[in-house]
Amino acid sequence: MSKVAVVYWSQTGNTQAMAEAIAEAASTEAIDCADFSADDVADYDAFAFGCPAMGDEELDPDFEEVWDACAGEFGDKPVALFGSYDWGTGEWMETWKSNAEDAGVNVADTLIANNEPDDEAVEACNALGAKLAE
């Protein structure tokens, strides 16, 4: 079983709810991005990083600082990206995924939820956590 880090930033609690569902299925705890750094990457086998769409479909600057510091440390370890959005089409996730892959990140999966995760989104979060923990 892989040791999984579920790292997130949440403004309204929607992305936090997703993080907690992923973490529960991966038998780990969700970690606020303020409590995670690039130095912690070596302690884990797989990752789920979550951030909601902010402003004009972009990552939160505080989260992005942590993400950018960690991105170069993942190596070939699987990394899932997740988050919630309120309006738009989820374009921020496509941009984030593309930028991550361009930086050499092994993006294993992406998952988005419109506003608060519904039952279907929670099931998808559980499946993602279980997949990362394999």
Side-chain angles (χ1 to χ4, degrees):
M1 183 169 205
S2 295
K3 185 174 180 186
V4 181
V6 180
V7 182
Y8 73 94
W9 183 88
S10 187
Q11 182 174 24
T12 63
N14 296 336
T15 299
Q16 180 178 358
M18 295 176 75
E20 290 169 353
I22 294 166
E24 180 180 352
S27 299
T28 191
E29 293 184 26
I31 305 167
D32 187 288
C33 72
D35 298 324
F36 196 84
S37 74
D39 293 338
D40 298 316
V41 170
D43 296 336
Y44 295 91
D45 305 309
F47 303 87
F49 269 75
C51 184
M54 301 297 297
D56 190 24
E57 297 249 359
E58 56 199 16
L59 298 175
D60 173 77
D62 292 333
F63 174 85
E64 191 166 23
E65 185 177 322
V66 173
W67 166 257
D68 287 345
C70 293
E73 303 299 318
F74 295 132
D76 63 351
K77 296 176 182 180
V79 180
L81 310 177
F82 68 95
S84 62
Y85 66 102
D86 184 16
W87 57 272
T89 61
E91 182 181 333
W92 103 103
M93 184 58 70
E94 291 303 317
T95 301
W96 184 11
K97 178 184 178 189
S98 177
N99 290 344
E101 289 173 339
D102 288 349
V105 175
N106 175 16
V107 179
D109 208 345
T110 63
L111 179 61
I112 61 175
N114 185 257
N115 291 309
E116 183 177 353
D118 60 15
D119 291 343
E120 184 178 322
V122 170
E123 284 181 29
C125 289
N126 291 152
L128 178 59
K131 176 181 172 182
L132 290 171
E134 290 178 343

